[in-house]
Amino acid sequence: MRVLVMGGSRFNGRTLIESLLVAGHDVTTFNRGVTPVDLPNCVERLHGDRRDTDALRAALRGRSFDAVHDTSAYVLEDVRSAVEILLDRTGHYVFASSAAVYAPKRGILPVGEDDPQNPSELPGNRYGRNKAICENYLLEQHSRASFPVSITRYPMVYGPRNPNLYREALMFVRLLEGRTILLPGDGTTLSHMSYVRDQATALVAMTLVPRTFGQVYNLASTEYYSDEGYVDTLARIVGVEPNKIHLGSRLTDEAYACMPYPLMPRQGVQLVDWRENSLFSTRKFEAHVGYAQEHSLEQGMAETFAWFQHEGVRDRFEVDFAHEDNLLEKARAL
């Protein structure tokens, strides 16, 4: 099978390429060629700026693909040009979206694919709103022109090569340095993640499956975790006994108002209060594709920590813990 990966030089896309190659597919990538990446020689690489429609058209001229995985589209213009160029030239187009498209949901969880999107134009919702606009355009093209699109929505993704060092890497640093871990509230708020390797395997499994055409899927782990459970799991992997303190509501509100990074690595529904659980149903994908998570949170994080150690990630970034130290001082004074 000939597969085009739009993007593919960093995190999600790079791991997807590995899974496609293991499955025996011929892979071509299209990206700007800016990020250094060590890909096997069998991967054909096309370079260009996808925002330049003429350049994209020239790069793909005369080519067709059994499937296209688009991991680098963020705004309407990105997907509009892709559809224009790839219409009738691919058997399946898979768009990487985000759980950020959802409106906050309270009371009855998990969030399902038919739950409302968030139309808010507040700056904190820009990413999710743009992804929703892309989704709606693509589904319209499926309805009007039978464009064979599938949409996958991810909550926060973790795993080796994660470029966002303020997620699991930051927690590894805290634990390795013996820092006191600041837990929001009582530590019981539940969240949801997607392991990048499981995600890639799932994408390969769904490719060219007709039942997925015109469908939207939450693609995430089948496990949920609490803030305290997350800390305890990573602490076991690092091999330390975590020193934890519960901030309480007032100090947690202060933390999320003033800190340049979140206390806990949560991402998904935007503009949701830290007290609210963010959980997503994966039943539809499992039913349509027959695939479910292969790695537990502990297994996925163990692989991620091995990469963190091997690559010397701790030495790549400096963290100013002044905000955390100030909050810790206030918490101990109560």
Side-chain angles (χ1 to χ4, degrees):
M1 183 168 67
R2 294 176 316 233
V3 182
L4 172 66
V5 177
M6 303 284 287
S9 61
R10 301 189 72 185
F11 184 36
N12 301 49
R14 179 68 178 86
T15 308
L16 172 60
I17 290 170
E18 291 176 346
S19 292
L20 287 165
L21 292 175
V22 168
H25 302 303
D26 296 326
V27 179
T28 299
T29 64
F30 179 88
N31 52 54
R32 292 176 299 167
V34 173
T35 302
V37 58
D38 183 20
L39 291 173
N41 292 333
C42 62
V43 176
E44 182 183 17
R45 299 183 228 189
L46 306 176
H47 292 153
D49 186 346
R50 69 174 301 157
R51 300 291 173 88
D52 183 340
T53 304
D54 291 336
L56 178 60
R57 183 179 290 107
L60 299 182
R61 182 173 293 119
R63 297 172 181 269
S64 62
F65 301 93
D66 296 300
V68 176
H69 284 273
D70 196 339
T71 69
S72 62
Y74 299 98
V75 297
L76 177 60
E77 290 73 18
D78 294 342
V79 293
R80 181 181 283 151
S81 61
V83 170
E84 176 188 335
I85 294 167
L86 293 168
L87 189 65
D88 299 325
R89 292 168 60 186
T90 184
H92 195 187
Y93 175 91
V94 183
F95 173 64
S97 189
S98 170
V101 303
Y102 290 114
K105 183 180 181 182
R106 299 175 176 86
I108 301 177
L109 293 171
V111 177
E113 289 86 351
D114 293 332
D115 281 316
Q117 295 178 343
N118 188 354
S120 171
E121 297 185 10
L122 290 173
N125 193 51
R126 183 176 294 115
Y127 172 77
R129 185 170 180 273
N130 281 332
K131 282 287 191 180
I133 291 171
C134 291
E135 285 189 12
N136 295 334
Y137 171 80
L138 289 168
L139 292 174
E140 181 181 349
Q141 293 306 304
H142 173 75
S143 177
R144 288 185 176 182
S146 298
F147 188 62
V149 62
S150 300
I151 294 168
T152 52
R153 294 172 178 163
Y154 313 123
M156 189 187 72
V157 183
Y158 76 97
R161 299 194 197 94
N162 191 347
N164 190 330
L165 299 179
Y166 288 93
R167 292 183 182 173
E168 60 270 16
L170 178 59
M171 189 59 71
F172 288 143
V173 170
R174 291 186 182 115
L175 292 166
L176 287 168
E177 294 188 357
R179 294 190 58 83
T180 299
I181 308 301
L182 308 179
L183 286 168
D186 62 6
T188 62
T189 301
L190 297 173
S191 298
H192 206 170
M193 285 196 285
S194 178
Y195 182 41
V196 69
R197 285 187 57 203
D198 284 349
Q199 175 181 298
T201 304
L203 288 169
V204 174
M206 75 180 292
T207 304
L208 284 178
V209 175
R211 189 176 185 183
T212 68
F213 296 175
Q215 298 294 322
V216 179
Y217 299 99
N218 291 330
L219 194 52
S221 300
T222 54
E223 293 176 314
Y224 309 140
Y225 64 94
S226 68
D227 288 338
E228 190 154 19
Y230 178 86
V231 172
D232 290 344
T233 298
L234 270 63
R236 284 195 299 273
I237 292 166
V238 173
V240 301
E241 186 67 31
N243 181 20
K244 300 173 290 189
I245 189 169
H246 294 268
L247 284 184
S249 295
R250 182 179 63 80
L251 287 179
T252 303
D253 285 338
E254 180 180 335
Y256 279 94
C258 72
M259 287 181 61
Y261 54 84
L263 288 177
M264 289 291 125
R266 295 188 197 140
Q267 187 178 348
V269 176
Q270 303 292 291
L271 307 179
V272 67
D273 188 87
W274 63 266
R275 300 167 183 81
E276 298 291 337
N277 301 321
S278 288
L279 311 176
F280 306 92
S281 172
T282 60
R283 291 192 297 268
K284 180 180 175 182
F285 186 83
E286 292 160 20
H288 285 196
V289 181
Y291 175 87
Q293 153 190 2
E294 295 178 350
H295 295 80
S296 67
L297 176 66
E298 189 148 0
Q299 291 169 327
M301 282 297 178
E303 292 184 355
T304 305
F305 184 62
W307 164 83
F308 174 94
Q309 294 284 73
H310 182 267
E311 297 296 323
V313 177
R314 175 64 190 93
D315 300 326
R316 292 188 194 173
F317 70 115
E318 292 297 325
V319 184
D320 183 357
F321 286 113
H323 288 286
E324 291 190 28
D325 292 337
N326 180 50
L327 288 165
L328 179 59
E329 183 178 342
K330 291 180 179 180
R332 285 174 172 166
L334 293 177

PDB file of all heavy atoms in Angstrom, residues 82-102:
ATOM      1  N   ALA A  82      -5.613  20.400   0.510  1.00  0.00           N
ATOM      2  CA  ALA A  82      -5.374  18.956   0.443  1.00  0.00           C
ATOM      3  C   ALA A  82      -6.499  18.248  -0.300  1.00  0.00           C
ATOM      4  O   ALA A  82      -6.243  17.383  -1.148  1.00  0.00           O
ATOM      5  CB  ALA A  82      -5.223  18.389   1.845  1.00  0.00           C
ATOM      6  N   VAL A  83      -7.746  18.597  -0.010  1.00  0.00           N
ATOM      7  CA  VAL A  83      -8.876  17.980  -0.686  1.00  0.00           C
ATOM      8  C   VAL A  83      -8.857  18.323  -2.174  1.00  0.00           C
ATOM      9  O   VAL A  83      -9.071  17.455  -3.039  1.00  0.00           O
ATOM     10  CB  VAL A  83     -10.208  18.425  -0.047  1.00  0.00           C
ATOM     11  CG1 VAL A  83     -11.385  17.969  -0.901  1.00  0.00           C
ATOM     12  CG2 VAL A  83     -10.327  17.877   1.364  1.00  0.00           C
ATOM     13  N   GLU A  84      -8.592  19.574  -2.476  1.00  0.00           N
ATOM     14  CA  GLU A  84      -8.560  20.012  -3.879  1.00  0.00           C
ATOM     15  C   GLU A  84      -7.547  19.201  -4.685  1.00  0.00           C
ATOM     16  O   GLU A  84      -7.820  18.788  -5.823  1.00  0.00           O
ATOM     17  CB  GLU A  84      -8.204  21.500  -3.939  1.00  0.00           C
ATOM     18  CG  GLU A  84      -8.045  22.051  -5.346  1.00  0.00           C
ATOM     19  CD  GLU A  84      -7.503  23.462  -5.344  1.00  0.00           C
ATOM     20  OE1 GLU A  84      -7.679  24.171  -4.336  1.00  0.00           O
ATOM     21  OE2 GLU A  84      -6.891  23.843  -6.357  1.00  0.00           O
ATOM     22  N   ILE A  85      -6.386  18.963  -4.104  1.00  0.00           N
ATOM     23  CA  ILE A  85      -5.307  18.289  -4.825  1.00  0.00           C
ATOM     24  C   ILE A  85      -5.466  16.769  -4.803  1.00  0.00           C
ATOM     25  O   ILE A  85      -5.148  16.083  -5.788  1.00  0.00           O
ATOM     26  CB  ILE A  85      -3.942  18.708  -4.229  1.00  0.00           C
ATOM     27  CG1 ILE A  85      -3.701  20.201  -4.485  1.00  0.00           C
ATOM     28  CG2 ILE A  85      -2.805  17.866  -4.793  1.00  0.00           C
ATOM     29  CD1 ILE A  85      -2.555  20.787  -3.684  1.00  0.00           C
ATOM     30  N   LEU A  86      -5.969  16.214  -3.714  1.00  0.00           N
ATOM     31  CA  LEU A  86      -6.005  14.768  -3.541  1.00  0.00           C
ATOM     32  C   LEU A  86      -7.335  14.124  -3.933  1.00  0.00           C
ATOM     33  O   LEU A  86      -7.445  12.898  -3.941  1.00  0.00           O
ATOM     34  CB  LEU A  86      -5.691  14.414  -2.083  1.00  0.00           C
ATOM     35  CG  LEU A  86      -4.261  14.721  -1.642  1.00  0.00           C
ATOM     36  CD1 LEU A  86      -4.137  14.615  -0.125  1.00  0.00           C
ATOM     37  CD2 LEU A  86      -3.268  13.795  -2.326  1.00  0.00           C
ATOM     38  N   LEU A  87      -8.339  14.921  -4.248  1.00  0.00           N
ATOM     39  CA  LEU A  87      -9.623  14.364  -4.657  1.00  0.00           C
ATOM     40  C   LEU A  87      -9.421  13.438  -5.848  1.00  0.00           C
ATOM     41  O   LEU A  87      -8.773  13.801  -6.832  1.00  0.00           O
ATOM     42  CB  LEU A  87     -10.588  15.495  -5.027  1.00  0.00           C
ATOM     43  CG  LEU A  87     -12.033  15.090  -5.268  1.00  0.00           C
ATOM     44  CD1 LEU A  87     -12.675  14.560  -3.995  1.00  0.00           C
ATOM     45  CD2 LEU A  87     -12.830  16.287  -5.797  1.00  0.00           C
ATOM     46  N   ASP A  88      -9.941  12.214  -5.755  1.00  0.00           N
ATOM     47  CA  ASP A  88      -9.809  11.173  -6.777  1.00  0.00           C
ATOM     48  C   ASP A  88      -8.382  10.649  -6.911  1.00  0.00           C
ATOM     49  O   ASP A  88      -8.079   9.913  -7.865  1.00  0.00           O
ATOM     50  CB  ASP A  88     -10.296  11.675  -8.150  1.00  0.00           C
ATOM     51  CG  ASP A  88     -11.759  12.067  -8.134  1.00  0.00           C
ATOM     52  OD1 ASP A  88     -12.539  11.403  -7.413  1.00  0.00           O
ATOM     53  OD2 ASP A  88     -12.121  13.031  -8.822  1.00  0.00           O
ATOM     54  N   ARG A  89      -7.498  11.005  -5.942  1.00  0.00           N
ATOM     55  CA  ARG A  89      -6.120  10.521  -6.028  1.00  0.00           C
ATOM     56  C   ARG A  89      -5.692   9.792  -4.758  1.00  0.00           C
ATOM     57  O   ARG A  89      -4.521   9.488  -4.582  1.00  0.00           O
ATOM     58  CB  ARG A  89      -5.173  11.697  -6.309  1.00  0.00           C
ATOM     59  CG  ARG A  89      -5.386  12.282  -7.705  1.00  0.00           C
ATOM     60  CD  ARG A  89      -4.694  13.598  -7.883  1.00  0.00           C
ATOM     61  NE  ARG A  89      -3.255  13.487  -7.697  1.00  0.00           N
ATOM     62  CZ  ARG A  89      -2.436  14.541  -7.687  1.00  0.00           C
ATOM     63  NH1 ARG A  89      -2.933  15.763  -7.845  1.00  0.00           N
ATOM     64  NH2 ARG A  89      -1.143  14.374  -7.519  1.00  0.00           N
ATOM     65  N   THR A  90      -6.665   9.524  -3.894  1.00  0.00           N
ATOM     66  CA  THR A  90      -6.385   8.704  -2.718  1.00  0.00           C
ATOM     67  C   THR A  90      -7.620   7.904  -2.341  1.00  0.00           C
ATOM     68  O   THR A  90      -8.756   8.366  -2.520  1.00  0.00           O
ATOM     69  CB  THR A  90      -5.923   9.558  -1.524  1.00  0.00           C
ATOM     70  OG1 THR A  90      -5.582   8.685  -0.440  1.00  0.00           O
ATOM     71  CG2 THR A  90      -7.020  10.506  -1.051  1.00  0.00           C
ATOM     72  N   GLY A  91      -7.387   6.726  -1.802  1.00  0.00           N
ATOM     73  CA  GLY A  91      -8.500   5.881  -1.382  1.00  0.00           C
ATOM     74  C   GLY A  91      -8.953   6.142   0.028  1.00  0.00           C
ATOM     75  O   GLY A  91     -10.014   5.670   0.437  1.00  0.00           O
ATOM     76  N   HIS A  92      -8.161   6.910   0.793  1.00  0.00           N
ATOM     77  CA  HIS A  92      -8.517   7.180   2.182  1.00  0.00           C
ATOM     78  C   HIS A  92      -7.682   8.353   2.668  1.00  0.00           C
ATOM     79  O   HIS A  92      -6.466   8.381   2.482  1.00  0.00           O
ATOM     80  CB  HIS A  92      -8.239   5.955   3.052  1.00  0.00           C
ATOM     81  CG  HIS A  92      -8.867   5.983   4.404  1.00  0.00           C
ATOM     82  ND1 HIS A  92      -8.610   5.034   5.382  1.00  0.00           N
ATOM     83  CD2 HIS A  92      -9.761   6.851   4.977  1.00  0.00           C
ATOM     84  CE1 HIS A  92      -9.307   5.296   6.466  1.00  0.00           C
ATOM     85  NE2 HIS A  92     -10.015   6.407   6.246  1.00  0.00           N
ATOM     86  N   TYR A  93      -8.337   9.316   3.289  1.00  0.00           N
ATOM     87  CA  TYR A  93      -7.665  10.486   3.870  1.00  0.00           C
ATOM     88  C   TYR A  93      -8.019  10.522   5.351  1.00  0.00           C
ATOM     89  O   TYR A  93      -9.193  10.609   5.716  1.00  0.00           O
ATOM     90  CB  TYR A  93      -8.141  11.757   3.168  1.00  0.00           C
ATOM     91  CG  TYR A  93      -7.620  13.060   3.730  1.00  0.00           C
ATOM     92  CD1 TYR A  93      -6.448  13.629   3.249  1.00  0.00           C
ATOM     93  CD2 TYR A  93      -8.321  13.740   4.722  1.00  0.00           C
ATOM     94  CE1 TYR A  93      -5.979  14.844   3.751  1.00  0.00           C
ATOM     95  CE2 TYR A  93      -7.864  14.951   5.226  1.00  0.00           C
ATOM     96  CZ  TYR A  93      -6.701  15.496   4.735  1.00  0.00           C
ATOM     97  OH  TYR A  93      -6.243  16.700   5.227  1.00  0.00           O
ATOM     98  N   VAL A  94      -6.999  10.425   6.211  1.00  0.00           N
ATOM     99  CA  VAL A  94      -7.212  10.393   7.657  1.00  0.00           C
ATOM    100  C   VAL A  94      -6.687  11.703   8.245  1.00  0.00           C
ATOM    101  O   VAL A  94      -5.495  12.016   8.123  1.00  0.00           O
ATOM    102  CB  VAL A  94      -6.502   9.190   8.304  1.00  0.00           C
ATOM    103  CG1 VAL A  94      -6.804   9.153   9.806  1.00  0.00           C
ATOM    104  CG2 VAL A  94      -6.940   7.884   7.638  1.00  0.00           C
ATOM    105  N   PHE A  95      -7.574  12.434   8.874  1.00  0.00           N
ATOM    106  CA  PHE A  95      -7.240  13.743   9.431  1.00  0.00           C
ATOM    107  C   PHE A  95      -7.034  13.641  10.926  1.00  0.00           C
ATOM    108  O   PHE A  95      -7.914  13.173  11.660  1.00  0.00           O
ATOM    109  CB  PHE A  95      -8.369  14.738   9.127  1.00  0.00           C
ATOM    110  CG  PHE A  95      -8.219  16.074   9.799  1.00  0.00           C
ATOM    111  CD1 PHE A  95      -7.163  16.913   9.499  1.00  0.00           C
ATOM    112  CD2 PHE A  95      -9.150  16.490  10.754  1.00  0.00           C
ATOM    113  CE1 PHE A  95      -7.023  18.145  10.129  1.00  0.00           C
ATOM    114  CE2 PHE A  95      -9.023  17.726  11.379  1.00  0.00           C
ATOM    115  CZ  PHE A  95      -7.952  18.555  11.056  1.00  0.00           C
ATOM    116  N   ALA A  96      -5.870  14.086  11.392  1.00  0.00           N
ATOM    117  CA  ALA A  96      -5.565  14.089  12.819  1.00  0.00           C
ATOM    118  C   ALA A  96      -6.163  15.328  13.461  1.00  0.00           C
ATOM    119  O   ALA A  96      -5.698  16.445  13.241  1.00  0.00           O
ATOM    120  CB  ALA A  96      -4.051  14.061  13.034  1.00  0.00           C
ATOM    121  N   SER A  97      -7.204  15.125  14.258  1.00  0.00           N
ATOM    122  CA  SER A  97      -7.853  16.230  14.950  1.00  0.00           C
ATOM    123  C   SER A  97      -7.543  16.140  16.436  1.00  0.00           C
ATOM    124  O   SER A  97      -6.523  15.573  16.843  1.00  0.00           O
ATOM    125  CB  SER A  97      -9.358  16.217  14.678  1.00  0.00           C
ATOM    126  OG  SER A  97      -9.975  17.401  15.163  1.00  0.00           O
ATOM    127  N   SER A  98      -8.410  16.693  17.255  1.00  0.00           N
ATOM    128  CA  SER A  98      -8.119  16.807  18.678  1.00  0.00           C
ATOM    129  C   SER A  98      -9.403  16.805  19.497  1.00  0.00           C
ATOM    130  O   SER A  98     -10.448  17.295  19.049  1.00  0.00           O
ATOM    131  CB  SER A  98      -7.349  18.102  18.938  1.00  0.00           C
ATOM    132  OG  SER A  98      -7.244  18.369  20.319  1.00  0.00           O
ATOM    133  N   ALA A  99      -9.299  16.285  20.721  1.00  0.00           N
ATOM    134  CA  ALA A  99     -10.420  16.380  21.657  1.00  0.00           C
ATOM    135  C   ALA A  99     -10.672  17.817  22.075  1.00  0.00           C
ATOM    136  O   ALA A  99     -11.681  18.101  22.732  1.00  0.00           O
ATOM    137  CB  ALA A  99     -10.154  15.508  22.883  1.00  0.00           C
ATOM    138  N   ALA A 100      -9.784  18.727  21.682  1.00  0.00           N
ATOM    139  CA  ALA A 100      -9.984  20.145  21.972  1.00  0.00           C
ATOM    140  C   ALA A 100     -11.204  20.716  21.251  1.00  0.00           C
ATOM    141  O   ALA A 100     -11.651  21.820  21.571  1.00  0.00           O
ATOM    142  CB  ALA A 100      -8.738  20.946  21.586  1.00  0.00           C
ATOM    143  N   VAL A 101     -11.768  19.984  20.287  1.00  0.00           N
ATOM    144  CA  VAL A 101     -12.941  20.493  19.568  1.00  0.00           C
ATOM    145  C   VAL A 101     -14.191  20.489  20.439  1.00  0.00           C
ATOM    146  O   VAL A 101     -15.160  21.202  20.151  1.00  0.00           O
ATOM    147  CB  VAL A 101     -13.228  19.679  18.282  1.00  0.00           C
ATOM    148  CG1 VAL A 101     -12.020  19.669  17.368  1.00  0.00           C
ATOM    149  CG2 VAL A 101     -13.673  18.259  18.608  1.00  0.00           C
ATOM    150  N   TYR A 102     -14.210  19.703  21.523  1.00  0.00           N
ATOM    151  CA  TYR A 102     -15.434  19.522  22.304  1.00  0.00           C
ATOM    152  C   TYR A 102     -15.731  20.702  23.220  1.00  0.00           C
ATOM    153  O   TYR A 102     -14.811  21.348  23.752  1.00  0.00           O
ATOM    154  CB  TYR A 102     -15.333  18.276  23.172  1.00  0.00           C
ATOM    155  CG  TYR A 102     -15.371  16.980  22.418  1.00  0.00           C
ATOM    156  CD1 TYR A 102     -14.259  16.142  22.376  1.00  0.00           C
ATOM    157  CD2 TYR A 102     -16.523  16.573  21.749  1.00  0.00           C
ATOM    158  CE1 TYR A 102     -14.289  14.939  21.697  1.00  0.00           C
ATOM    159  CE2 TYR A 102     -16.562  15.368  21.057  1.00  0.00           C
ATOM    160  CZ  TYR A 102     -15.445  14.558  21.032  1.00  0.00           C
ATOM    161  OH  TYR A 102     -15.490  13.368  20.356  1.00  0.00           O
TER     162      TYR A 102
END
